Amino acid sequence: MGRTPPHPEVSQFDLQQVLEALVDPVRRSIVAQLDASGVDIPCGGFDIPVSKSTATHHFNVLREAGLIRQYYVGTSRMNSLRRAEMDEVFPGLLDALTRQPVRKT
Amino acid sequence: MGRTPPHPEVSQFDLQQVLEALVDPVRRSIVAQLDASGVDIPCGGFDIPVSKSTATHHFNVLREAGLIRQYYVGTSRMNSLRRAEMDEVFPGLLDALTRQPVRKT
DNA sequence: GCGAAAGTACGATCGATGTCAAACTTTGAT
DNA sequence: ATCAAAGTTTGACATCGATCGTACTTTCGC
């Protein structure tokens, strides 16, 4: 593994892509948990009701949209919320979403 | 026709449903056009690249999510953005979205 | 009344996406 | 060296939703 996956630059953030990422409740929950905790969290450290392979998919979608940054620490893939960068490009968006609890299903 | 379709109350607005409505570019374009014009617009008065039956579907989704209010005037169905009510329940959300241009696709 | 205009209803289609299981890879610890 | 832990990859599957065409309904104007 060891390789750092590609991350989009701020200038490439796309609203459509960000919305498609955030419309999924599992992914919105991941973002909410990152936002609430304030620290980076490994993939396995989230409370989400899906299998590991599905989780991998969700993290990929979030990373490709620019919502999280991922880096390895040993065998763990850490996830960091790109809060400031998102706020810069889409001011108010994450605020509006994290202010609300994520729906159950 | 003549009958007024059902509209959700503010207390029933659901973030998941609102996001699912706004993730579609056509629907986001409808909301943006309503927001920009400031006046009510009949279904046929929007600049959207879909057939009439598809348009009907999109307006239904927006209405059921609480984003627009619909009422008949003759054979025309008028559409009104429920801006204040949305802002009340999801402050900042419409601001964040209408601030951005709707992507082409 | 009749025709046109504005939508709606109803299927049907087709692509996208969320999901999982199984096999694999990489890293750290013993 | 071996094993376990943490993710990834791949392929399959199922569901959902955007789309359209056609037929239908309602209302307005002549």
Side-chain angles (χ1 to χ4, degrees), chain A residues 16-59:
Chain A
Q16 183 63 36
Q17 198 176 356
V18 170
L19 284 181
E20 284 170 5
L22 291 175
V23 77
D24 185 281
V26 173
R27 289 194 290 264
R28 211 158 62 252
S29 170
I30 291 172
V31 169
Q33 290 177 49
L34 276 174
D35 188 65
S37 88
V39 302
D40 296 0
I41 303 177
C43 291
F46 291 87
D47 180 20
I48 50 179
V50 295
S51 69
K52 286 205 302 178
S53 51
T54 299
T56 293
H57 169 244
H58 286 310
F59 287 113

Side-chain angles (χ1 to χ4, degrees), chain B residues 17-33:
Chain B
Q17 198 176 356
V18 170
L19 284 180
E20 284 170 6
L22 292 175
V23 77
D24 185 281
V26 174
R27 289 195 287 264
R28 212 158 61 254
S29 169
I30 291 172
V31 168
Q33 289 177 49

Side-chain angles (χ1 to χ4, degrees), chain B residues 7-15 17 64-65 89-90:
Chain B
H7 292 75
E9 300 172 17
V10 169
S11 67
Q12 327 204 30
F13 286 4
D14 177 77
L15 178 59
Q17 198 176 356
E64 287 160 14
V89 182
F90 307 116

Side-chain angles (χ1 to χ4, degrees), chain A residues 53-68:
Chain A
S53 51
T54 299
T56 293
H57 169 244
H58 286 310
F59 287 113
N60 286 342
V61 172
L62 287 172
R63 173 174 43 75
E64 287 160 13
L67 281 157
I68 61 174

Side-chain angles (χ1 to χ4, degrees), chain B residues 1 43-44 52-53 56 75 77:
Chain B
M1 298 174 178
C43 291
K52 285 206 302 177
S53 52
T56 294
T75 105
R77 190 170 219 172

Side-chain angles (χ1 to χ4, degrees), chain B residues 11-104:
Chain B
S11 67
Q12 327 204 30
F13 286 4
D14 177 77
L15 178 59
Q16 183 63 35
Q17 198 176 356
V18 170
L19 284 180
E20 284 170 6
L22 292 175
V23 77
D24 185 281
V26 174
R27 289 195 287 264
R28 212 158 61 254
S29 169
I30 291 172
V31 168
Q33 289 177 49
L34 276 174
D35 188 65
S37 87
V39 301
D40 297 359
I41 304 178
C43 291
F46 290 87
D47 180 20
I48 48 178
V50 294
S51 69
K52 285 206 302 177
S53 52
T54 298
T56 294
H57 167 65
H58 286 310
F59 287 113
N60 287 341
V61 172
L62 288 172
R63 173 173 43 73
E64 287 160 14
L67 282 157
I68 61 173
R69 190 174 294 281
Q70 298 189 293
Y71 59 96
Y72 278 98
V73 173
T75 105
S76 289
R77 190 170 219 172
M78 300 298 295
N79 301 278
S80 169
L81 186 60
R82 299 177 70 175
R83 187 59 140 113
E85 292 163 293
M86 271 295 144
D87 287 348
E88 179 186 332
V89 182
F90 307 116
L93 182 58
L94 283 188
D95 273 337
L97 297 185
T98 57
R99 205 186 303 286
Q100 303 288 329
V102 176
R103 203 181 65 175
K104 315 306 176 297

